[in-house]
Amino acid sequence: MRNGWSPFNIVSVTVGFAFLYLPIVLLVIYSFNASRLVTVWGGFSVKWYGELIHDQAILDAAWVTLRVGLISASAATVLGTLAATALVRFANFRGRLLFSGMVYAPLVMPDVIMGLSLLLLFVAVDFDRGFWTVVLAHITFSMCFVGVVVQSRLISFDRSLEEAAQDLGCPPWKTFFQITLPVIWPAVAAGWMLAFTLSLDDLVIASFTSGPGATTLPMKIYSQVRLGVTPEINAVCTILIAIVSCGVTVAAIFTRRREVQRARDERLAAGGGSPAQAR
């Protein structure tokens, strides 16, 4: 058949997507179930979303998770970008192998090992576990993911742009913020979104490093699921799915518009026009 879409390929893709997304679809459907029994359909209802407004424990956990995600993703983006810049731009400094190993170790280290090691560290330095220990833990394991994304963009970056700016008298730090950062900004933004998503999803490391008043939403959901799945949990998970889906959609639209604008500018440049005329 044309384009390689044989019956086997079609069936494989269908089964694969069904395996990945059918449980999510069922979760969303049963979040609108009027019955408290999650396996028995009792009609359409949104009352469980209303119940979430009065569930202070869920709201507190969601607020902690949001704050942890925003702070840790922002800090991890800054540190990961700096680490990627050092690894790409200063390839021959002493200790580079050790530095790169320390930066990327969380990529292959099990979450249980990382959570336990961070717990022992906080206990050794007598740092009370709570909100900030969770933030530090999330910065530690998400920074490496930002570094990988930004490093892949810096490798293909045209260094002649920076050299031209510095030849014209632009200082190195100003060159980075006015030339380099705008070019690699999509990779930096992608790294931030990845770090934020990983922070929202983390359960194991947060369980080791959290303390009183620092219960995250995954921890709260897990503690309730151990006693049985309730419609409120389905509603919370549906809201999270909607937030992530909206974020991915907005990012895809933004990326698509940038690609269209870049292609338009390239066509104008090839034809002798200026990008300003296209805008």
Side-chain angles (χ1 to χ4, degrees):
M1 299 181 64
R2 291 184 300 176
N3 299 327
W5 283 101
S6 64
F8 176 78
N9 291 339
I10 296 175
V11 172
S12 299
V13 171
T14 303
V15 172
F17 277 107
F19 178 78
L20 290 174
Y21 295 107
L22 185 59
I24 298 177
V25 173
L26 292 177
L27 184 147
V28 173
I29 292 175
Y30 275 96
S31 69
F32 298 98
N33 185 12
S35 174
R36 177 164 286 277
L37 300 176
V38 295
T39 57
V40 178
W41 181 256
F44 181 85
S45 175
V46 295
K47 66 178 181 178
W48 305 118
Y49 291 89
E51 292 290 335
L52 291 177
I53 301 177
H54 305 289
D55 193 336
Q56 192 61 41
I58 290 291
L59 295 178
D60 292 341
W63 176 235
V64 170
T65 302
L66 181 61
R67 287 188 296 156
V68 169
L70 291 174
I71 297 174
S72 63
S74 300
T77 301
V78 174
L79 296 176
T81 302
L82 294 176
T85 303
L87 290 173
V88 174
R89 300 299 170 82
F90 308 99
N92 297 321
F93 66 89
R94 182 176 299 177
R96 183 184 186 278
L97 181 61
L98 177 62
F99 178 74
S100 61
M102 294 175 62
V103 170
Y104 298 130
L107 285 171
V108 296
M109 187 177 298
D111 290 344
V112 174
I113 302 299
M114 177 167 291
L116 180 59
S117 61
L118 289 171
L119 171 61
L120 295 177
L121 173 63
F122 294 141
V123 172
V125 299
D126 196 20
F127 194 176
D128 293 335
R129 286 180 293 163
F131 175 81
W132 290 109
T133 54
V134 179
V135 171
L136 292 175
H138 284 193
I139 292 174
T140 302
F141 79 82
S142 60
M143 180 183 67
C144 60
F145 292 92
V146 178
V148 169
V149 175
V150 176
Q151 185 178 7
S152 63
R153 181 64 185 90
L154 283 172
I155 291 175
S156 60
F157 180 78
D158 188 3
R159 294 290 301 275
S160 62
L161 299 175
E162 295 178 335
E163 295 172 356
Q166 293 180 7
D167 288 342
L168 295 175
C170 187
W173 64 269
K174 194 173 183 179
T175 300
F176 178 81
F177 284 104
Q178 293 190 353
I179 303 298
T180 308
L181 188 58
V183 175
I184 67 171
W185 179 250
V188 175
W192 187 93
M193 293 183 62
L194 179 59
F196 183 73
T197 303
L198 292 172
S199 178
L200 292 182
D201 182 63
D202 176 63
L203 171 64
V204 177
I205 296 177
S207 299
F208 279 96
T209 57
S210 65
T215 301
T216 62
L217 189 58
M219 294 173 58
K220 186 64 179 178
I221 293 175
Y222 178 72
S223 64
Q224 292 187 358
V225 167
R226 295 175 63 184
L227 302 177
V229 180
T230 61
E232 290 92 340
I233 295 178
N234 291 340
V236 172
C237 295
T238 301
I239 293 174
L240 291 176
I241 293 171
I243 293 174
V244 173
S245 300
C246 291
V248 172
T249 302
V250 171
I253 294 174
F254 179 74
T255 302
R256 177 60 181 169
R257 287 182 177 178
R258 285 181 61 92
E259 292 177 352
V260 171
Q261 186 63 47
R262 184 181 302 135
R264 186 182 305 167
D265 293 344
E266 291 177 353
R267 288 197 300 268
L268 284 174
S274 63
Q277 295 174 353
R279 301 184 181 96

